[in-house]
Amino acid sequence: MTVISGNGFKKRSINVDTQAMLEIAHKQGIPTVWERLEAQQPQCGYCNLGTSCRICAMGPCRVDPFGDGPQKGVCGADADIIVARNLARMVAAGAASHSDHGRDILETLHHVGEGHTDAYTISDPAKLRRLAAEYHIATEGKSDQQVAKELAWEMMEDYGMRRQQLPLSLRAPQARQELWKKLGVMPRGVDWENVETLHRTHMGVDNDWVNILLHSARNALSDGWGGSMLATELSDVLFGVPTPKMSQVNLGVLKASHVNIILHGHNPMLSEVIVAASQDPELLALAKAKGAQGINLAGLCCTGNEVLMRKGIPMAGNHLMQELAIMTGAVELMVVDYQCIMPAVTETARCFHTKVVSTFDKARFPGAEHISFDPGRGLEIGKQIVRLAVENFSKRVPERVIIPVQPAPMMTGFSIEAILQALGGTPQPLIDAIVKGNIRGAVGIVGCNNPKIKQDLGHTELTKRLIENDILVVVTGCATVADGKAGLMTPQAAEKAGPGLRAVCQALGIPPVLHLGSCVDNTRILVLAAALANTLGVDISALPLAGAAPEWYSEKAVAIGVYVVASGIYTVLGVAPPVFGSPNVVKLLTEGLEGVFGATFAVEADPDRAAALIRRHIEKKRAGLGLEALDPGSIPLPEAQLALA
Ligand code: BF8
Ligand code: SF4
């Protein structure tokens, strides 16, 4: 594979650390995700448009969107059916990933309840009891352990088929719940909705593309108000509700003087025990004996977000940094759990002394050392992994260590509880600021990196346009790292906001861009939106809110987008989903859904244009609530600088 020549790497990312590591990759002839993307060109046009199908052995089939080639698959499926089925399967895979992660956390809560582990405990008994109340579990006079056991038992039903409505969906405004009931999309069991999607999209089952997509919304809702929400809530119970704190971000968080361990993936169960193990006096002494000054942990992707939010562990990077972090030559060990971990990392690690350790039996990586994770022996396994890292320090080649930047400061830890506390216990001050127009509205910028888009450009430019127009931004997932590195997540960044938002941030000592956590923590956005709507006595779709996923790549992001829209929040995607082969599906997603869920998708790669679309939407919603509002038409839609990916 040829590695890019010259200065091409500057076009790939806005970040100095990425550019520096790409230069090293270039000099050392190590391929990265960008080379592999180039090697895939031209990518399949049918797949890009969503009109290829390989779900049965009469196929694979394709429908020619230009009318020259076949218009039907072998079974007779047309472009609408094929596109809808493919999209539904993406949603199911994304929802399954989040929800299975939630199941693992739930299993851990169950272990705690049964007394089968001493590696985990109930860190927030008050939140445990609040959740128990939502599940109608009497808690008086019961120990935390007993409550944990009963709650775990009840929540296991969230995955089954005895529920006609997921209990956490009762947090949604009454009007939204009634709408879901009327449409027949009230989320029931998480596994039920996922399996039903797979059933409906088998050949010869659901051949009504609208019906397929309606169920897909139900499937996504079972993720947002079920599996993902459960993952967030139970992680808070077990590991603590995040509170605001300062930390650092970018590759500069790696320390040449220390044993460096990167925590990569999504599930905090493993990373929490590694954090504990890294403070073990015996292992610290061993690190010193090996010539290191200490043990340094750094996060990547959403595992990074989890430990950043709760423990302030610094963040090395987002999705496109995973191979590049290894190329610093300073990483003794990368421990992975699951999701978004490119199989390429083990190959990159082979060029360095870095050990990759996989930990979940459902996520094996050839080339990695596998240490099977068992929550019952969590701390012991954590120590085993940290020991491997410390012992690997002697294999480091100091001349190859390049840490290209100084770390950037960022603030983290904005759980809904923390936001409400900062506001004095109720969302009212935020509502007042929105009513007065100091804050025009709020936008969740979420999701990934995708090598089809210059790394972090989509996130940071959109964020800047929004905050300078007095729109509060909340971030999760890989968007966090982008905005953190760009210096948008410190209290001082309030200077970059418009006058109204700036004044609010300065009064509260908070940044204009708040970190709400990992991708499952997008459910914190749902909870905040529901709390605002319930306080105002309106549905979520009436609020001046929006979502954006400027650089998404993952099926999980599709599930998130669908549950956000189905919850009533307008969402702009920066990367085109594979639906454009069906004008009917596109029309439904971008227009028709307004009359169904009161919110639609838009697709816009250019961040300036995306910001204008969002601002117009927010002003429209302000007017709808009877608040002072700009004429949406007065907000210019700039010329596109970036084409659709
Ligand atoms: O769940 S933002 S690249 S790391 S999918 Fe993955 Fe996307 Fe990052 Fe987290 Ni979310
Ligand atoms: Fe072709 Fe139909 Fe089979 Fe899909 S389900 S591969 S369109 S025959």
Side-chain angles (χ1 to χ4, degrees):
M1 195 178 289
T2 49
V3 175
I4 193 168
S5 57
N7 275 339
F9 44 79
K10 295 217 166 146
K11 295 200 185 108
R12 293 175 170 180
S13 171
I14 63 166
N15 298 307
V16 179
D17 57 353
T18 311
Q19 292 169 4
M21 298 327 290
L22 285 175
E23 198 168 354
I24 287 167
H26 166 56
K27 284 192 187 135
Q28 301 188 9
I30 306 170
T32 66
V33 64
W34 285 275
E35 276 76 40
R36 293 190 297 272
L37 174 63
E38 260 169 38
Q40 285 293 334
Q41 300 309 317
Q43 286 175 311
C44 172
Y46 295 105
C47 294
N48 253 327
L49 296 170
T51 54
S52 54
C53 181
R54 50 164 186 75
I55 66 175
C56 91
M58 294 190 286
C61 305
R62 69 214 183 283
V63 166
D64 185 342
F66 305 108
D68 299 332
Q71 294 302 294
K72 300 253 163 96
V74 176
C75 66
D78 59 14
D80 298 337
I81 298 176
I82 292 175
V83 166
R85 274 197 310 223
N86 288 339
L87 186 65
R89 285 192 167 206
M90 288 185 91
V91 168
S97 305
H98 287 143
S99 299
D100 199 43
H101 161 177
R103 187 202 319 270
D104 286 334
I105 309 274
L106 174 55
E107 216 186 339
T108 306
L109 182 77
H110 188 234
H111 278 302
V112 172
E114 293 280 354
H116 289 163
T117 175
D118 52 11
Y120 304 96
T121 156
I122 302 299
S123 294
D124 195 320
K127 185 151 188 173
L128 172 74
R129 282 161 199 272
R130 284 202 302 277
L131 275 168
E134 288 184 79
Y135 281 76
H136 305 293
I137 296 167
T139 56
E140 228 182 277
K142 289 181 190 163
S143 67
D144 289 349
Q145 189 178 334
Q146 180 62 26
V147 176
K149 185 172 158 179
E150 289 181 34
L151 179 62
W153 197 250
E154 273 301 311
M155 285 180 157
M156 285 177 187
E157 279 304 331
D158 287 358
Y159 286 83
M161 57 179 288
R162 295 224 303 244
R163 301 217 195 280
Q164 291 303 313
Q165 175 169 8
L166 289 171
L168 294 177
S169 70
L170 288 162
R171 294 174 173 186
Q174 198 58 41
R176 185 67 18 188
Q177 293 181 49
E178 272 156 25
L179 178 66
W180 290 338
K181 265 187 212 143
K182 195 178 97 202
L183 293 168
V185 301
M186 179 63 82
R188 304 163 297 176
V190 169
D191 290 352
W192 185 354
E193 308 304 5
N194 274 307
V195 170
E196 191 172 319
T197 297
L198 294 181
H199 179 195
R200 283 176 183 241
T201 55
H202 186 280
M203 201 298 278
V205 184
D206 200 348
N207 292 301
D208 177 332
W209 62 273
V210 176
N211 208 36
I212 295 171
L213 292 178
L214 258 186
H215 178 74
S216 194
R218 188 177 215 178
N219 191 168
L221 288 169
S222 79
D223 174 11
W225 297 88
S228 273
M229 197 171 278
L230 221 129
T232 296
E233 298 297 70
L234 295 186
S235 296
D236 282 358
V237 167
L238 289 169
F239 311 124
V241 174
T243 52
K245 51 186 78 66
M246 288 303 293
S247 186
Q248 293 180 320
V249 58
N250 75 29
L251 283 184
V253 306
L254 297 171
K255 293 182 181 164
S257 55
H258 283 55
V259 172
N260 290 301
I261 302 177
I262 289 203
L263 310 166
H264 182 13
H266 285 76
N267 189 320
M269 279 158 52
L270 172 77
S271 43
E272 285 282 331
V273 292
I274 299 228
V275 173
S278 71
Q279 289 151 10
D280 181 71
E282 199 191 313
L283 290 168
L284 284 167
L286 184 64
K288 292 240 158 78
K290 298 270 176 197
Q293 283 178 22
I295 302 169
N296 182 44
L297 303 183
L300 251 175
C301 288
C302 283
T303 288
N305 278 305
E306 297 275 353
V307 287
L308 176 63
M309 282 284 280
R310 295 198 181 84
K311 300 275 187 296
I313 302 287
M315 181 72 122
N318 47 9
H319 184 55
L320 289 180
M321 305 303 291
Q322 51 190 297
E323 300 167 274
L324 307 183
I326 294 172
M327 291 181 202
T328 59
V331 178
E332 273 57 54
L333 188 141
M334 175 183 276
V335 58
V336 304
D337 46 80
Y338 42 55
Q339 297 172 17
C340 302
I341 301 144
M342 295 188 201
V345 291
T346 51
E347 204 170 315
T348 309
R350 263 200 286 274
C351 305
F352 295 84
H353 76 302
T354 309
K355 253 186 204 302
V356 179
V357 173
S358 58
T359 49
F360 277 75
D361 291 349
K362 62 181 109 181
R364 303 286 294 247
F365 292 78
E369 181 165 340
H370 188 68
I371 299 181
S372 180
F373 188 67
D374 166 7
R377 300 190 299 115
L379 189 57
E380 187 191 326
I381 293 168
K383 284 185 189 170
Q384 188 187 350
I385 294 169
V386 173
R387 181 178 294 275
L388 274 180
V390 172
E391 279 167 355
N392 202 26
F393 185 74
S394 29
K395 298 225 183 87
R396 187 191 279 185
V397 183
E399 308 78 69
R400 288 191 82 187
V401 172
I402 295 171
I403 297 172
V405 287
Q406 290 298 314
M410 66 168 284
M411 200 176 208
T412 176
F414 289 96
S415 56
I416 300 310
E417 289 87 338
I419 292 173
L420 290 181
Q421 199 182 356
L423 295 171
T426 88
Q428 198 57 50
L430 180 56
I431 291 173
D432 292 345
I434 292 173
V435 168
K436 279 194 213 127
N438 293 342
I439 296 179
R440 313 289 309 165
V443 175
I445 301 184
V446 309
C448 325
N449 290 143
N450 184 324
K452 294 176 177 175
I453 289 196
K454 188 172 189 174
Q455 186 202 15
D456 294 347
L457 180 79
H459 294 303
T460 53
E461 288 304 308
L462 176 60
T463 304
K464 286 183 209 161
R465 289 307 83 74
L466 295 177
I467 63 172
E468 67 202 21
N469 285 293
D470 289 324
I471 293 169
L472 176 69
V473 170
V474 298
V475 287
T476 60
C478 289
T480 307
V481 175
D483 281 355
K485 280 161 88 162
L488 298 167
M489 296 178 69
T490 59
Q492 295 70 32
E495 296 291 339
K496 297 179 177 145
L501 177 60
R502 186 189 314 148
V504 174
C505 291
Q506 286 173 341
L508 295 171
I510 59 170
V513 181
L514 303 181
H515 182 208
L516 264 62
S518 64
C519 283
V520 293
D521 293 340
N522 283 317
T523 60
R524 296 191 202 275
I525 300 178
L526 294 182
V527 172
L528 182 60
L532 293 174
N534 287 334
T535 308
L536 282 169
V538 297
D539 195 357
I540 294 173
S541 54
L543 299 173
L545 303 178
E551 304 179 31
W552 74 275
Y553 94 89
S554 152
E555 290 162 320
K556 292 179 288 170
V558 182
I560 292 166
V562 174
Y563 76 61
V564 167
V565 169
S567 298
I569 301 174
Y570 171 72
T571 296
V572 182
L573 304 174
V575 179
V579 296
F580 281 83
S582 164
N584 283 332
V585 171
V586 172
K587 199 164 181 330
L588 177 72
L589 297 180
T590 57
E591 295 171 31
L593 287 185
E594 185 65 41
V596 183
F597 292 117
T600 62
F601 282 101
V603 181
E604 178 53 69
D606 187 279
D608 290 337
R609 286 173 65 86
L613 292 175
I614 289 172
R615 289 184 58 211
R616 287 175 171 195
H617 170 80
I618 280 178
E619 296 302 331
K620 207 173 83 195
K621 292 294 168 184
R622 291 184 61 85
L625 284 170
L627 306 177
E628 168 275 313
L630 299 173
D631 169 13
S634 71
I635 298 169
L637 197 57
E639 281 296 302
Q641 303 293 316
L642 266 184
L644 279 182

